[in-house]
């Protein structure tokens, strides 16, 4: 009987060890969020050798980490319910599908899980110190700061900025995501800067978030599928343009869609009107291709003033990219529920792609939009020369 119990015990131990060979992100309960959690930072390494099974690493045990390759740290943010970030796996797989690198998931869920935001934010510098100690050891083993990338979401972006600050701004890249309400729109704001010596970012659309310029390149973006370029626009490709600024700087804001794959495709809609009186309102534009696929953009950031013989350029955001547009519809609205009361007379409408500027620009002339009434038409190619 004693041998039987020993056998069962050994089997349980073996099963426990097997389960721990692939550590998973810390999962906590809502109860943990209520009572709060102490800080515990775990580093989980993914490479192409262990794409689906993480390795727990630390300063004395690097596992499969190769210091001669690029290393990207992914740092999550505030976790008010204790659940793992749903986007983490997709981001890890996306990075490794693009490049053979080290991807280190920084799991500080014990510390980030709390109902009180300030309790989590107070731990961010401590997390940064843990990462600095690990990176210091990487550098001692032959790694280069140029190959150290940080991707931080929410408070993770703050942590990434703190790490960059500790290295006097010489990290290879910092990508910081911030989700917050601004202009009644849930957006990801993208800050692009050039190399550290010419990096100056002085303003933000909302005032409560810190400067993440503590890296040679500072950027932000998102991707879940190959249809979106990973990490958005690569900041280093803008270097020559940015250095030509006086003072050298660049500030840009890019939006993403709210659903996977989060891609947004931007167009300019140029409208010249010939109303005698100024018309103020919003434009909704819908595109359709020959296969019947449609995508819509409601350009309602703020009411636009349409003046006679003045061109207004509106930025339209679509969640699909239609290669060949067969039909366009426009709808004008002043926000009035009574109508149609007003007309918007359009002398010329021009649609031009920002993502694909090489595509032909599409035009239409002499349109009359009745308020709150959708007007559908087939576009024509714009003349090469516009008067």
């Amino acid at each position: 009987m004693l041998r039987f119990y020993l056998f069962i015990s050994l089997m349980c131990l073996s099963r426990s060890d097997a389960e721990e060979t692939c550590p998973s992100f810390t999962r906590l309960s809502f109860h943990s969020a209520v009572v709060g959690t102490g800080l515990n930072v775990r580093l989980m390494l993914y490479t192409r050798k262990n794409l689906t099974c993480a390795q727990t690493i630390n300063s004395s045990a690097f596992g499969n980490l190769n210091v001669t390759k690029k290393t990207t740290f992914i740092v999550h943010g505030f976790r008010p319910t204790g659940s793992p970030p749903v986007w983490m796996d997709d981001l890890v797989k996306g990075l490794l599908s693009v490049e053979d690198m080290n991807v280190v998931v920084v799991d500080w869920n014990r510390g980030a899980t709390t109902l009180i935001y300030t309790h989590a934010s107070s731990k961010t510098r401590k997390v940064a110190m843990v990462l600095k100690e690990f990176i210091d050891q990487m550098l001692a083993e032959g790694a280069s700061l140029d190959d150290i990338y940080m991707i931080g979401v929410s408070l993770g972006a703050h942590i990434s900025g703190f790490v960059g600050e500790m290295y006097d701004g010489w990290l290879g890249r910092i990508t910081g995501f911030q989700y917050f309400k601004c202009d009644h729109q849930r957006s990801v704001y993208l800050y692009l800067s050039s190399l550290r010596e010419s990096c100056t970012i002085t303003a933000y659309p909302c005032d409560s978030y810190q400067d993440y310029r503590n890296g040679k390149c500072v950027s932000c973006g998102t991707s879940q599928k190959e249809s979106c370029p990973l990490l958005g626009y690569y900041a280093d490709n803008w270097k020559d343009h940015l250095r030509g600024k006086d003072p050298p700087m660049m500030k840009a804001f890019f939006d993403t869609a709210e659903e996977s794959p989060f891609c947004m495709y931007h167009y300019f809609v140029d409208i010249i009107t010939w109303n005698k009186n100024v018309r103020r309102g919003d434009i909704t534009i819908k595109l359709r291709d020959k296969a019947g696929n449609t995508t819509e953009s409601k350009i309602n950031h703020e009411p636009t003033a349409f003046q006679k013989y003045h061109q207004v350029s509106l930025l339209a955001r679509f969640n699909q990219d239609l290669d060949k547009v067969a039909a366009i519809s426009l709808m004008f609205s002043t926000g009035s529920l009574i109508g149609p009361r007003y007309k918007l007379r359009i002398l010329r409408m021009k649609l031009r792609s920002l993502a694909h500027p090489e595509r032909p620009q599409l035009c239409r002339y002499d349109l009359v939009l009745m308020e709150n009434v959708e007007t559908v038409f087939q576009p024509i190619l714009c003349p090469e020369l516009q008067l």
Side-chain angles (χ1 to χ4, degrees):
M1 183 63 70
L2 179 59
R3 290 181 179 179
F4 176 75
Y5 285 133
L6 287 174
F7 175 76
I8 295 297
S9 299
L10 289 173
M11 288 292 294
C12 291
L13 287 174
S14 299
R15 182 182 301 174
S16 176
D17 290 341
E19 290 174 350
E20 292 178 356
T21 57
C22 287
S24 58
F25 191 95
T26 301
R27 181 184 297 272
L28 299 175
S29 64
F30 184 72
H31 172 75
S32 298
V34 174
V35 300
T37 54
L39 180 63
N40 179 38
V41 180
R42 299 170 66 227
L43 303 181
M44 296 190 296
L45 172 67
Y46 293 88
T47 68
R48 286 185 173 177
K49 292 182 179 179
N50 60 302
L51 179 60
T52 60
C53 181
Q55 288 183 325
T56 301
I57 58 175
N58 54 53
S59 299
S60 58
F62 278 10
N64 288 336
L65 190 142
N66 186 338
V67 295
T68 65
K69 295 181 179 180
K70 180 187 300 181
T71 299
T72 299
F73 292 84
I74 305 175
V75 193
H76 66 88
F78 179 47
R79 308 302 302 166
T81 65
S83 62
V86 295
W87 45 264
M88 187 68 77
D89 289 343
D90 286 339
L91 183 54
V92 170
K93 293 175 183 177
L95 287 166
L96 289 172
S97 70
V98 171
E99 185 173 347
D100 185 8
M101 66 172 78
N102 310 301
V103 177
V104 179
V105 172
V106 181
D107 175 3
W108 65 289
N109 210 21
R110 293 190 181 276
T113 296
T114 172
L115 295 181
I116 304 175
Y117 181 84
T118 54
H119 287 184
S121 64
S122 67
K123 299 179 177 69
T124 53
R125 282 196 177 273
K126 295 178 182 178
V127 179
M129 283 299 302
V130 172
L131 296 181
K132 182 182 185 301
E133 292 174 4
F134 182 80
I135 294 172
D136 283 346
Q137 190 60 39
M138 289 181 59
L139 297 176
E141 296 294 327
S144 169
L145 282 179
D146 287 337
D147 292 329
I148 304 295
Y149 283 23
M150 306 289 298
I151 300 178
V153 178
S154 183
L155 287 179
H158 290 261
I159 292 170
S160 301
F162 292 148
V163 175
E165 181 184 31
M166 293 171 183
Y167 288 103
D168 197 28
W170 288 108
L171 292 185
R173 183 188 298 273
I174 296 176
T175 299
F177 291 75
Q178 282 293 357
Y179 293 88
F180 54 96
K181 291 286 185 176
C182 192
D183 296 331
H184 309 290
Q185 185 174 314
R186 185 174 183 271
S187 301
V188 177
Y189 288 89
L190 169 58
Y191 306 115
L192 293 177
S193 75
S194 65
L195 297 183
R196 177 183 179 276
E197 53 266 34
S198 60
C199 173
T200 305
I201 301 179
T202 57
Y204 298 97
C206 293
D207 297 329
S208 59
Y209 290 84
Q210 81 160 57
D211 188 339
Y212 303 121
R213 61 186 180 185
N214 296 311
K216 287 187 175 182
C217 288
V218 182
S219 63
C220 176
T222 183
S223 175
Q224 299 294 329
K225 294 184 179 178
E226 293 181 358
S227 56
C228 270
L230 194 65
L231 298 184
Y233 293 85
Y234 286 88
D236 46 2
N237 292 341
W238 293 63
K239 181 174 62 175
D240 293 337
H241 173 74
L242 304 180
R243 283 179 169 170
K245 294 289 185 179
D246 185 18
M249 64 178 295
M250 179 65 183
K251 179 178 62 182
F253 313 106
F254 290 84
D255 294 327
T256 67
E258 295 183 356
E259 298 179 357
S260 178
F262 308 109
C263 304
M264 270 297 184
Y265 304 93
H266 295 77
Y267 288 76
F268 269 127
V269 182
D270 304 322
I271 294 178
I272 300 177
T273 56
W274 52 282
N275 282 73
K276 181 178 180 180
N277 299 318
V278 177
R279 289 281 183 263
R280 293 184 179 275
D282 304 322
I283 293 288
T284 298
I285 179 170
K286 188 181 298 183
L287 309 180
R288 178 173 58 82
D289 63 12
K290 291 183 179 180
N293 300 307
T294 62
T295 183
E296 179 178 317
S297 175
K298 186 175 183 180
I299 310 172
N300 62 346
H301 306 299
E302 60 183 30
T304 303
F306 297 95
Q307 302 182 51
K308 187 175 183 180
Y309 302 141
H310 281 67
Q311 176 172 297
V312 174
S313 295
L314 304 173
L315 182 63
R317 306 160 57 248
F318 298 97
N319 58 13
Q320 291 188 63
D321 184 29
L322 304 185
D323 184 14
K324 296 182 179 180
V325 177
I328 299 176
S329 76
L330 296 176
M331 186 167 66
F332 172 69
S333 175
T334 64
S336 174
L337 298 178
I338 303 175
R341 296 178 57 188
Y342 300 105
K343 298 178 182 179
L344 184 67
R345 295 175 170 87
I346 296 177
L347 188 63
R348 187 203 68 193
M349 185 239 44
K350 179 166 63 175
L351 180 73
R352 47 195 175 102
S353 172
L354 288 179
H356 300 282
E358 73 281 359
R359 290 180 182 174
Q361 298 178 1
L362 302 178
C363 284
R364 186 71 186 199
Y365 304 88
D366 298 329
L367 293 170
V368 178
L369 304 185
M370 300 293 298
E371 184 182 11
N372 300 328
V373 176
E374 184 178 14
T375 300
V376 183
F377 55 87
Q378 292 183 340
I380 61 176
L381 296 180
C382 301
E384 292 185 4
L385 296 177
Q386 292 289 337
L387 298 179

